[in-house]
Amino acid sequence: MKKYILGWVLLFSTSALVAQSVEELWTGKTELSKVHDTFDWYQQGFAEYAPDTTIITKISDNLNGYTFLIFAGTWCGDTKYLLPKFSKVLNMSGVSDEKVTLYLLDFRLKSPEKLEKKYKIKSIPTFVIIKDGKETGRIVESVNEPVEKVLYDILK
C-alpha cells in the first residue's frame, strides 16, 4: 500500500513540474528586460503598478553610488507580485539597467553562479541594495508598505 501511495505522489509531482513551461524554470544571471519581454505576469504587474511619484522623486535624488542585486524565481508567487513593482520603481527613478543585476534561482534557491551563497539568500525575492560595494539594506520576500517607501527608507 505504501508503494502504491508513493507512486501516485511521485507521478503527480513529476506531472506538475512537466506541466510548467520551460521559461518558468529559468536560472542564472538574466537581464530584467528578457523577463519583461517573456512573462505576462511581469508585464501586467509593471503596467498596473502606480508608485507614489513624490517618493519616486526622493529616490531619484538619493541614488548616487547605488547598485541593486536581485535574487528571484520566475516560478515564485512572491516574485511575480513584487519584482514588477520593484522594477517599475527603479525604472521611474531613473536607475539604468547597468545598475541592476538579476539572478534567477531554481526551486532549491540555487543558480549556476552560486552568488546566492555569498549573499545568504534564504527567501525570494530578495533585493539587495548596495552602495559603493557594500550592502546597505535588503527587501526580502514581501513588504508591508509600498515598495517605493521601503526602498526610500533604505536609501535615506
Side-chain angles (χ1 to χ4, degrees), residues 55-63 89 93 148 151-152 155:
I55 297 175
I56 294 294
T57 300
K58 291 177 183 179
I59 290 171
S60 297
D61 294 341
N62 286 291
L63 286 173
V89 168
S93 299
E148 63 273 17
L151 179 59
Y152 175 67
L155 296 175

Side-chain angles (χ1 to χ4, degrees), residues 13-109:
S13 298
T14 304
S15 297
L17 287 174
V18 171
Q20 293 183 7
S21 71
V22 172
E23 292 134 355
E24 291 175 340
L25 300 174
W26 282 8
T27 60
K29 187 175 180 181
T30 307
E31 292 180 28
L32 205 48
S33 62
K34 289 184 181 180
V35 174
H36 183 279
D37 293 343
T38 303
F39 296 101
D40 292 339
W41 56 263
Y42 183 95
Q43 295 164 12
Q44 182 178 357
F46 190 95
E48 291 176 355
Y49 191 57
D52 181 329
T53 55
T54 304
I55 297 175
I56 294 294
T57 300
K58 291 177 183 179
I59 290 171
S60 297
D61 294 341
N62 286 291
L63 286 173
N64 195 20
Y66 281 98
T67 57
F68 304 88
L69 186 57
I70 303 171
F71 295 91
T74 58
W75 51 268
C76 170
D78 291 329
T79 292
K80 290 178 181 183
Y81 177 76
L82 198 54
L83 180 60
K85 291 173 173 49
F86 187 83
S87 179
K88 185 156 188 179
V89 168
L90 293 181
N91 181 274
M92 288 180 67
S93 299
V95 175
S96 66
D97 290 347
E98 297 81 37
K99 302 267 184 185
V100 181
T101 306
L102 171 64
Y103 289 91
L104 295 175
L105 308 182
D106 67 15
F107 297 107
R108 297 170 294 133
L109 304 184

Side-chain angles (χ1 to χ4, degrees), residues 28-29 68-74 76 78-79 82-83 86 100-106 109-111 113-130 135 138-141:
K29 187 175 180 181
F68 304 88
L69 186 57
I70 303 171
F71 295 91
T74 58
C76 170
D78 291 329
T79 292
L82 198 54
L83 180 60
F86 187 83
V100 181
T101 306
L102 171 64
Y103 289 91
L104 295 175
L105 308 182
D106 67 15
L109 304 184
K110 308 263 188 240
S111 72
E113 295 84 0
K114 299 184 184 349
L115 195 61
E116 65 278 358
K117 283 183 155 188
K118 175 182 177 183
Y119 284 92
K120 297 179 173 104
I121 303 302
K122 304 283 185 222
S123 300
I124 56 172
T126 296
F127 305 90
V128 182
I129 295 88
I130 299 169
E135 182 176 336
R138 58 175 63 194
I139 300 169
V140 180
E141 200 168 11

